[in-house]
Amino acid sequence: STGQRAHTTVPIGQLAADYLAAGRRTGVRADVAFAQSVIETGYFSFPAGGQLTGGDNNFAGIGACDSCAHGWRFRSALTGVTAQLELLDAYATPHQVPTPLIGPVGVGGCCTTWMALSGTWASNEAYGVEILGIYTRILDWVIPRRLVAAGLVPPSHRPTQAPVRHRTIS
């Protein structure tokens, strides 16, 4: 909806389908994980100065840290997405869950909510708020369009492109 070109190895529609497939396998909310990837990738632009590029197929900053030279690279978009959802599952589940793409994870059960990722998955204390803010923007964009498509709202009330609001929560 931003009108910007994504710097990814697959089209955004395919990436969204990859999130849905990985979500079904892991039980993790694919839609909110997609919102997390928007934060992690700068709306899939992978801005200069970051530790990852679109070719890395890493949409979650896995392996990127303040003292690291580069985050992890994955062979395909689906592999990178699946690794993200496996890791989210491991963060949320108190007992050990399989994470074959990442390896053993010693953080089981640390983050049972998206808000709990703040300061843990990322050093940003407002990280969870930012993820849920993006998720809300996604819903604000898609729901009116689905209502029109379902015939529940007249086409004359077709929603307009909402302006992209970039703001930092401090």
Side-chain angles (χ1 to χ4, degrees), residues 12 15 20-21 43 56 60 67 94 105 115 122 126 128 131 135 138 145:
I12 288 295
L15 190 62
L20 292 172
Y43 290 82
D56 293 324
S67 61
V105 177
M115 294 297 288
I131 292 169
Y135 181 64
I138 291 169
R145 285 159 177 76

Side-chain angles (χ1 to χ4, degrees), residues 45-127:
S45 70
F46 295 90
Q51 294 181 16
L52 298 166
T53 68
D56 293 324
N57 292 308
N58 183 340
F59 309 102
I62 298 170
C65 67
D66 295 340
S67 61
C68 301
H70 198 280
W72 290 20
R73 293 180 176 106
F74 296 98
R75 71 179 183 277
S76 69
L78 178 58
T79 304
V81 168
T82 303
Q84 175 187 355
L85 274 64
E86 282 181 3
L87 193 53
L88 285 165
D89 187 27
Y91 270 54
T93 306
H95 61 278
Q96 189 171 356
V97 296
T99 53
L101 295 173
I102 302 295
V105 177
V107 293
C110 72
C111 304
T112 58
T113 67
W114 295 97
M115 294 297 288
L117 292 173
S118 301
T120 303
W121 186 289
S123 57
N124 178 357
E125 293 297 328
Y127 189 61

